[in-house]
Amino acid sequence: MEKTKKRRLSIIFESDISPDAHAEESSNKKKGSGDQGGETKGHLLDFIALASVPLVLVFGNSMLVPILPDLQEKLAISQFQSSLVITLFSVTAGLVIPVSGYLSDRFSRKGIIIPSLIIYGAAGILAGFAAIWNSYTILIIARALQGLGAAGTSSIAMALAGDMYNDGTESKALGLIEASNGTGKVLSPILGSLLALIVWYAAFFAFPLFCLLSLLAVMFLIKEPKRKKEPEKLGTYLHNIFSVLKEKGRWLITAFFAGSLALFVLFGVLFYLSDILEEAPYNIDGVMKGLVLAIPLLGMVVTSYTTGALIKKNGTLMRWLMNIGLGIMTVSLGLCIFFYNSNMYLFIGLLTLSSIGTGLLLPCLNTMITGSVPRAQRGGITSLYNSLRFLGVAFGPPLFGWMMDMSHQIVFITVTVLAFIALGLVFFLIKPKGQLQSQ
């Protein structure tokens, strides 16, 4: 277990594992074929398989955003009912993720990811037939089942990366997972718009194909490390989870808040941008709107991957990057208060800067949360984190829509204040130093 240095509001990550024990543990972590001189090739295959999981997760939700107006028209439903197609998926996933985390700690990571992908893809096919049958009831049931499947994907892949790697390779894998998540967000609106040119419900049937590819990659390209210890009973497991939260709760809860807030802001701002692009004087819709929305997301993707590759579990560097990222978010969102309706190029530039700040923040949080929690509780803790992230994504668009009805300036005043609060909490409560050791 890590020791917490007895200093007010200062958290230092250290390892009390002996060098020999740590070396033995490290040797048991997946190294691809690096020990035989093929490190790049071995890791590349693993990275592709791991990255496919969050990519599929995003495709299953965000590809549907461009077709919601068609869905509303064809099924003769209200705007609120069409929004539930997205929100119900995210809420269901957010509520079930902690259960999936426990099951992955109790059994195995792949043992949860594989059936989750099967449920996810099969429910996608059911949703497609529901669209053909013009049945909103079946569609909503299918989307809830997809949320159930989604709960066992990205968060468990994050825990699996922590099991397979250590040191710089772990942070690089986690940065790639975050970048893959962002890449899915970039491509989803464009793919959804293109597929809608064939037939409006084509996205429902295209998604299971991506799901199948990810399923095959996880099954055949990833070798999960074997566990030496017997899995904990539920009572013991919950006790240990609460012990972790009690010991590290000050910085863990702050990290949970900062990560979920970052995605709340990101998705809310994209919802805002998507709405105003369709209005005069811009009148941008379809594939072109998807390309414009991809600009801020591309900034986050590139930054996330670069950050994950550079931090190499350097606690001091992580602290700098987290604070810089939140600082950039605060300043850029604050400037949007004054420039949201003056110049579209400047406005998109400010939103891209905010996304770059998000790209600096999230890989650091992912590495700290995954790497500083014992393996036996890693699935549970990372799942709690991802559950809050999902809820941030789910409630971002409706809350932004509610604030937009009051005032556009209120939107950016609110998110600026929230980003500033997160900056203060992270600055004072998360203080990693030195080289973080994997548990």
Side-chain angles (χ1 to χ4, degrees), residues 337-356:
I337 298 172
F338 309 100
F339 300 110
Y340 71 91
N341 62 348
S342 60
N343 183 295
M344 179 54 64
Y345 297 103
L346 175 61
F347 181 56
I348 293 176
L350 290 173
L351 295 184
T352 303
L353 278 177
S354 177
S355 297
I356 288 172

Side-chain angles (χ1 to χ4, degrees), residues 397-417:
L399 287 177
F400 267 69
W402 174 67
M403 289 187 289
M404 287 168 64
D405 290 337
M406 293 186 290
S407 167
H408 287 238
Q409 283 187 317
I410 286 179
V411 171
F412 292 103
I413 291 172
T414 302
V415 293
T416 301
V417 171

Side-chain angles (χ1 to χ4, degrees), residues 2-3 11-15 251 368 372 432-433 435-436:
E2 297 163 345
K3 297 178 181 177
I11 295 176
I12 300 177
F13 301 94
E14 298 174 349
S15 174
W251 74 265
M368 290 176 57
S372 60
K433 295 181 181 178
Q435 197 72 12
L436 309 189

Side-chain angles (χ1 to χ4, degrees), residues 354-377:
S354 177
S355 297
I356 288 172
T358 302
L360 291 172
L361 173 68
L362 291 179
C364 298
L365 293 177
N366 296 348
T367 300
M368 290 176 57
I369 292 170
T370 304
S372 60
V373 176
R375 177 175 174 177
Q377 293 86 43

Side-chain angles (χ1 to χ4, degrees), residues 38 83 140 175 200 205 243 256 258 299 303 306 334 373 392 417 430:
S83 69
I140 284 296
W200 73 270
F205 291 103
S243 296
F256 290 173
T303 308
T306 305
V373 176
V417 171
I430 305 182

Side-chain angles (χ1 to χ4, degrees), residues 107-156:
F107 300 104
S108 70
R109 312 295 185 208
K110 287 179 64 173
I112 300 302
I113 293 175
I114 289 173
S116 294
L117 286 171
I118 293 173
I119 294 172
Y120 198 9
I125 296 174
L126 178 61
F129 281 110
I132 294 176
W133 298 331
N134 292 329
S135 174
Y136 178 73
T137 301
I138 296 177
L139 177 61
I140 284 296
I141 293 173
R143 290 296 289 166
L145 289 173
Q146 279 196 292
L148 181 67
T153 55
S154 185
S155 61
I156 311 303

